[in-house]
Amino acid sequence: MIRYVYITLILLMLGCTRKTKITEPALARVGSSVLTVKEARANIPSHIIKKDSIKAFQTYRDEWIDQQLLIQEAYRLRINKEPEVRMRLNKITDDYLAKAAQNFIISDLNKDLSISDAEARAYYQENKDSFVLEERYIRFRHLATHTLNDAENARNDLMRGVPWETVARDYSVNPEFTLRESQRYWPESMAVSDMEILNRYLMLIGVTEISVIEKIGDTYHFVQLMDERAKGEHPELDWLVEQIKDWLLMEKRRRTFNTYLKNLYLEAHANNEIETFQVGTTN
């Protein structure tokens, strides 16, 4: 927070010392071009700002100044008047406008488009043979505790038949997350992949078996395998509903846009705005 206030004060001071009238806090000015804090923040990845905000703004500012100097020099040398440069600039502009138009049209046309769960389930049933697991999937419990004593008590409670929900709420460092994640199926390779030793246990233990307790960092961990699905089996439909809905929505959007584009073509063709010529061979 102190660093954020400090950088804000610096930027405000910079903005107040410029010769041109600047209505926003600024980082730099080159000629009549001004780099505002808002513009810089919009173009710097958030993770870089979080890592070191002062360095991030300074680096972007310096690169922006270099770019502006080169742009000014390009105009001074009249490079912007060169035929090849003008052709490339026009191509960039046309490409950008076409893409912007496509995005706008798709967004406008698809405001009310949706895919229901029933549509997704029907698609799954019709194409079930296309959905098979490419690796073993597992459902497991992963408990992390603050102390070894808590981990041992939790493990013993599970072995004595105490309900998982009770054990998780009594001992876990994050009960809600622990309970929620224990309902999911994971590809074996991704199961607690950030804790290699626990991932190895899940590949070795059988269903309902509990691993030994491992200290990782400042907390104590164990895993219990609850279910498994072999490679080549069909996944549960519930795993795929949202993904299938996304696929079907993308396809529906594609068809809607293509219909719109076809109508544009037919209208332009009817108005004699389109003309094609014979494609000949060239040497």
Side-chain angles (χ1 to χ4, degrees), residues 98-112:
K99 188 63 177 178
Q102 179 178 336
N103 291 337
F104 178 84
I105 293 166
I106 289 175
S107 176
D108 189 58
L109 288 175
N110 298 314
K111 289 177 181 177
D112 300 322

Side-chain angles (χ1 to χ4, degrees), residues 140-155 158 164 166-179 181-182 192 194-195 198 210-224:
F140 62 96
R141 298 166 175 174
H142 170 208
L143 194 74
T145 66
H146 289 295
T147 68
L148 176 60
N149 186 58
D150 281 350
E152 291 174 338
N153 288 337
R155 192 174 186 277
L158 285 175
W164 164 241
T166 301
V167 173
R169 296 190 186 282
D170 286 346
Y171 300 106
S172 173
V173 298
N174 190 339
E176 296 303 325
F177 177 80
T178 298
L179 288 170
E181 292 299 291
S182 67
V192 281
D194 57 334
M195 300 179 184
L198 297 182
I210 304 175
S211 73
V212 300
I213 297 168
E214 293 286 347
K215 183 178 182 182
I216 302 174
D218 296 325
T219 50
Y220 296 82
H221 303 253
F222 66 79
V223 289
Q224 181 182 24

Side-chain angles (χ1 to χ4, degrees), residues 64-266:
W64 180 87
I65 289 173
D66 288 344
Q67 182 187 57
Q68 294 303 311
L69 291 173
L70 286 171
I71 291 173
Q72 285 192 358
E73 187 66 3
Y75 279 107
R76 189 186 71 81
L77 297 171
R78 299 181 64 80
I79 294 174
N80 60 308
K81 301 295 184 181
E82 292 289 330
E84 184 177 351
V85 173
R86 290 176 63 85
M87 181 182 67
R88 288 180 178 273
L89 288 174
N90 289 336
K91 177 67 165 57
I92 292 170
T93 300
D94 289 346
D95 288 346
Y96 182 83
L97 281 175
K99 188 63 177 178
Q102 179 178 336
N103 291 337
F104 178 84
I105 293 166
I106 289 175
S107 176
D108 189 58
L109 288 175
N110 298 314
K111 289 177 181 177
D112 300 322
L113 286 185
S114 63
I115 300 294
S116 67
D117 286 357
E119 289 178 280
R121 293 177 184 279
Y123 181 86
Y124 175 80
Q125 294 301 330
E126 292 170 4
N127 300 273
K128 192 170 183 179
D129 290 343
S130 300
F131 296 95
V132 293
L133 299 179
E134 296 183 354
E135 64 176 296
R136 176 180 176 241
Y137 271 63
I138 57 176
R139 182 170 64 83
F140 62 96
R141 298 166 175 174
H142 170 208
L143 194 74
T145 66
H146 289 295
T147 68
L148 176 60
N149 186 58
D150 281 350
E152 291 174 338
N153 288 337
R155 192 174 186 277
N156 290 335
D157 281 355
L158 285 175
M159 294 177 70
R160 289 190 296 107
V162 176
W164 164 241
E165 291 75 11
T166 301
V167 173
R169 296 190 186 282
D170 286 346
Y171 300 106
S172 173
V173 298
N174 190 339
E176 296 303 325
F177 177 80
T178 298
L179 288 170
R180 183 170 63 252
E181 292 299 291
S182 67
Q183 300 303 312
R184 297 181 57 186
Y185 279 81
W186 291 83
E188 184 179 57
S189 60
M190 294 178 61
V192 281
S193 56
D194 57 334
M195 300 179 184
E196 186 179 352
I197 183 64
L198 297 182
N199 181 267
R200 288 205 300 269
Y201 284 139
L202 288 169
M203 295 183 182
L204 296 173
I205 60 179
V207 175
T208 73
E209 289 184 356
I210 304 175
S211 73
V212 300
I213 297 168
E214 293 286 347
K215 183 178 182 182
I216 302 174
D218 296 325
T219 50
Y220 296 82
H221 303 253
F222 66 79
V223 289
Q224 181 182 24
L225 183 63
M226 298 308 299
D227 194 13
E228 60 182 350
R229 300 294 171 86
K231 177 181 178 180
E233 288 187 8
H234 294 291
E236 292 290 337
L237 174 57
D238 289 342
W239 306 357
L240 299 172
V241 167
E242 292 305 317
Q243 188 175 4
I244 292 174
K245 287 170 70 175
D246 287 342
W247 290 341
L248 293 179
L249 187 58
M250 287 177 61
E251 178 61 19
K252 187 178 286 189
R253 286 172 175 168
R254 185 188 66 80
R255 292 198 304 268
T256 302
F257 174 74
N258 286 343
T259 299
Y260 184 96
L261 193 59
K262 183 177 181 180
N263 289 335
L264 285 179
Y265 178 89
L266 293 174

